[in-house]
Amino acid sequence: MGSIAVCPGSFDPVTNGHLDIIKRGSKVFETVYVAVLNNAVKNPLFTVEERVELLKEVTKSIPNVKVESHSGLLMEYAKSKQAHTILRGLRAVSDFEYEMQITSANRVLEKNIETLFMMTNNQYSFLSSSIVKELAKYGGDVSELVPPIVREAMLEKFSL
Protein backbone atom coordinates (compact mmCIF):
# COMPACT_ATOMS: atom_id res chain seq x y z
CA MET A 1 0.00 0.00 0.00
CA GLY A 2 1.47 3.35 -1.03
CA SER A 3 1.39 6.37 1.21
CA ILE A 4 -1.21 8.87 0.07
CA ALA A 5 -1.83 12.27 1.65
CA VAL A 6 -4.36 15.00 1.04
CA CYS A 7 -3.21 18.60 1.39
CA PRO A 8 -6.41 20.66 1.64
CA GLY A 9 -6.94 24.38 1.50
CA SER A 10 -8.68 27.24 -0.22
CA PHE A 11 -5.42 28.36 -1.90
CA ASP A 12 -6.84 31.78 -2.77
CA PRO A 13 -4.22 32.39 -4.04
CA VAL A 14 -1.57 29.72 -3.74
CA THR A 15 1.50 31.21 -2.05
CA ASN A 16 5.13 30.19 -1.82
CA GLY A 17 4.31 29.01 1.70
CA HIS A 18 1.69 26.60 0.33
CA LEU A 19 4.17 25.40 -2.29
CA ASP A 20 6.79 24.82 0.40
CA ILE A 21 4.45 22.43 2.23
CA ILE A 22 3.33 20.70 -1.00
CA LYS A 23 6.91 20.19 -2.23
CA ARG A 24 8.15 18.92 1.09
CA GLY A 25 5.10 16.68 1.44
CA SER A 26 5.78 15.22 -2.01
CA LYS A 27 9.11 13.95 -0.65
CA VAL A 28 7.40 12.17 2.26
CA PHE A 29 4.37 10.67 0.51
CA GLU A 30 4.07 8.57 -2.62
CA THR A 31 1.12 10.69 -3.78
CA VAL A 32 -0.12 14.07 -2.56
CA TYR A 33 -3.60 15.18 -3.57
CA VAL A 34 -3.93 18.94 -3.30
CA ALA A 35 -7.63 19.45 -2.61
CA VAL A 36 -8.91 22.92 -3.42
CA LEU A 37 -11.86 23.52 -1.14
CA ASN A 38 -14.43 26.27 -1.34
CA ASN A 39 -14.56 28.05 2.02
CA ALA A 40 -17.99 29.71 2.15
CA VAL A 41 -16.80 32.06 4.92
CA LYS A 42 -14.14 33.64 2.72
CA ASN A 43 -14.73 36.02 -0.18
CA PRO A 44 -12.53 34.45 -2.87
CA LEU A 45 -10.54 36.39 -5.42
CA PHE A 46 -10.26 33.39 -7.75
CA THR A 47 -12.89 30.83 -8.67
CA VAL A 48 -12.27 27.24 -7.61
CA GLU A 49 -11.52 26.39 -11.24
CA GLU A 50 -8.95 29.20 -11.50
CA ARG A 51 -7.28 28.07 -8.27
CA VAL A 52 -7.09 24.49 -9.55
CA GLU A 53 -5.51 25.65 -12.81
CA LEU A 54 -2.98 27.86 -11.04
CA LEU A 55 -2.03 25.02 -8.69
CA LYS A 56 -1.71 22.57 -11.56
CA GLU A 57 0.61 24.99 -13.33
CA VAL A 58 2.87 25.65 -10.33
CA THR A 59 3.08 21.96 -9.36
CA LYS A 60 3.46 20.48 -12.86
CA SER A 61 7.12 19.68 -12.20
CA ILE A 62 6.21 17.50 -9.20
CA PRO A 63 5.01 14.22 -10.72
CA ASN A 64 3.44 12.75 -7.57
CA VAL A 65 1.21 15.78 -6.90
CA LYS A 66 -2.35 15.77 -8.19
CA VAL A 67 -4.63 18.81 -7.95
CA GLU A 68 -8.39 18.53 -7.70
CA SER A 69 -11.31 20.42 -6.19
CA HIS A 70 -13.82 19.12 -3.69
CA SER A 71 -17.01 20.63 -2.30
CA GLY A 72 -17.96 18.10 0.38
CA LEU A 73 -16.42 16.87 3.60
CA LEU A 74 -12.65 16.54 3.59
CA MET A 75 -12.78 13.12 5.24
CA GLU A 76 -15.05 11.80 2.47
CA TYR A 77 -12.61 13.08 -0.14
CA ALA A 78 -9.64 11.53 1.69
CA LYS A 79 -11.42 8.16 1.90
CA SER A 80 -12.25 8.32 -1.81
CA LYS A 81 -8.53 8.73 -2.54
CA GLN A 82 -7.58 5.96 -0.08
CA ALA A 83 -5.51 8.51 1.84
CA HIS A 84 -4.47 7.82 5.41
CA THR A 85 -3.03 11.27 6.07
CA ILE A 86 -4.14 14.87 5.92
CA LEU A 87 -1.13 17.16 5.42
CA ARG A 88 -1.44 20.61 6.94
CA GLY A 89 1.03 23.46 7.21
CA LEU A 90 1.53 25.42 10.41
CA ARG A 91 2.98 28.93 10.45
CA ALA A 92 2.64 29.95 14.08
CA VAL A 93 1.08 28.99 17.39
CA SER A 94 -2.06 30.87 16.34
CA ASP A 95 -2.59 28.32 13.53
CA PHE A 96 -2.37 25.43 15.97
CA GLU A 97 -5.57 26.22 17.88
CA TYR A 98 -7.69 26.37 14.74
CA GLU A 99 -6.04 23.29 13.24
CA MET A 100 -6.53 21.32 16.46
CA GLN A 101 -10.27 22.02 16.34
CA ILE A 102 -10.53 20.94 12.71
CA THR A 103 -8.45 17.82 13.35
CA SER A 104 -10.59 16.86 16.35
CA ALA A 105 -13.78 17.23 14.31
CA ASN A 106 -12.28 15.22 11.45
CA ARG A 107 -11.29 12.45 13.87
CA VAL A 108 -14.95 12.12 14.89
CA LEU A 109 -15.81 11.60 11.23
CA GLU A 110 -12.94 9.23 10.41
CA LYS A 111 -10.71 7.67 13.07
CA ASN A 112 -8.38 5.98 10.57
CA ILE A 113 -7.11 9.14 8.89
CA GLU A 114 -4.32 10.96 10.71
CA THR A 115 -3.37 14.62 10.39
CA LEU A 116 0.28 15.48 9.95
CA PHE A 117 1.36 19.04 10.71
CA MET A 118 4.41 20.33 8.92
CA MET A 119 6.03 23.54 10.08
CA THR A 120 6.55 26.02 7.29
CA ASN A 121 10.01 27.37 6.60
CA ASN A 122 10.71 30.49 8.66
CA GLN A 123 10.77 32.70 5.58
CA TYR A 124 7.05 31.97 5.08
CA SER A 125 5.91 32.05 8.72
CA PHE A 126 4.10 35.39 8.24
CA LEU A 127 2.62 34.56 4.86
CA SER A 128 -1.09 34.08 4.24
CA SER A 129 -3.29 34.35 1.19
CA SER A 130 -5.16 37.21 2.86
CA ILE A 131 -1.97 39.23 3.30
CA VAL A 132 -0.94 38.58 -0.30
CA LYS A 133 -4.34 39.70 -1.61
CA GLU A 134 -4.24 42.86 0.48
CA LEU A 135 -0.75 43.76 -0.71
CA ALA A 136 -1.58 43.07 -4.37
CA LYS A 137 -4.88 44.96 -4.19
CA TYR A 138 -3.03 48.16 -3.32
CA GLY A 139 -0.18 47.66 -5.77
CA GLY A 140 2.34 46.10 -3.41
CA ASP A 141 5.05 43.88 -4.84
CA VAL A 142 4.15 40.23 -4.13
CA SER A 143 6.79 38.72 -6.43
CA GLU A 144 8.66 37.08 -3.52
CA LEU A 145 5.45 35.73 -1.97
CA VAL A 146 3.77 33.91 -4.86
CA PRO A 147 4.88 32.14 -8.05
CA PRO A 148 5.14 34.43 -11.12
CA ILE A 149 2.01 33.03 -12.79
CA VAL A 150 0.00 33.72 -9.64
CA ARG A 151 1.38 37.25 -9.44
CA GLU A 152 0.32 37.87 -13.04
CA ALA A 153 -3.17 36.46 -12.40
CA MET A 154 -3.54 38.72 -9.36
CA LEU A 155 -2.42 41.78 -11.32
CA GLU A 156 -5.03 40.95 -13.92
CA LYS A 157 -7.77 40.50 -11.28
CA PHE A 158 -6.94 43.82 -9.71
CA SER A 159 -6.30 45.42 -13.14
CA LEU A 160 -2.94 46.81 -12.05
Side-chain angles (χ1 to χ4, degrees):
M1 173 173 30
S3 60
I4 300 170
V6 173
C7 183
S10 54
F11 303 104
D12 185 44
V14 59
T15 69
N16 289 339
H18 292 130
L19 281 177
D20 172 55
I21 298 298
I22 293 167
K23 287 176 183 175
R24 289 169 48 216
S26 74
K27 295 175 184 173
V28 175
F29 297 97
E30 187 176 308
T31 304
V32 175
Y33 285 94
V34 178
V36 178
L37 307 174
N38 189 22
N39 188 336
V41 177
K42 296 181 180 180
N43 185 19
L45 176 63
F46 294 101
T47 67
V48 170
E49 295 77 20
E50 288 170 328
R51 287 180 263 159
V52 167
E53 287 308 311
L54 286 169
L55 271 159
K56 282 182 177 179
E57 182 64 28
V58 299
T59 61
K60 68 183 179 187
S61 65
I62 314 169
N64 61 329
V65 169
K66 300 179 184 334
V67 180
E68 298 180 348
S69 64
H70 183 69
S71 59
L73 292 171
L74 175 60
M75 291 296 105
E76 293 301 318
Y77 178 80
K79 284 193 296 189
S80 78
K81 298 301 176 187
Q82 299 178 333
H84 292 96
T85 307
I86 303 298
L87 175 62
R88 300 289 295 178
L90 287 179
R91 295 170 294 194
V93 173
S94 56
D95 284 348
F96 181 75
E97 247 183 89
Y98 172 77
E99 293 295 344
M100 187 178 72
Q101 290 175 331
I102 298 298
T103 298
S104 296
N106 284 340
R107 187 168 296 260
V108 169
L109 296 173
E110 183 53 59
K111 292 174 180 29
N112 296 319
I113 299 177
E114 294 293 338
T115 299
L116 173 71
F117 295 110
M118 187 176 281
M119 294 303 299
T120 191
N121 282 322
N122 287 341
Q123 71 195 71
Y124 304 123
S125 62
F126 70 94
L127 190 54
S128 72
S129 293
S130 298
I131 287 172
V132 168
K133 285 189 281 193
E134 191 74 10
L135 288 172
K137 181 178 180 179
Y138 294 105
D141 182 10
V142 297
S143 59
E144 292 186 32
L145 309 177
V146 296
I149 190 171
V150 175
R151 179 182 169 276
E152 293 304 317
M154 291 180 75
L155 289 174
E156 188 175 311
K157 284 282 184 181
F158 291 124
S159 299
L160 298 174

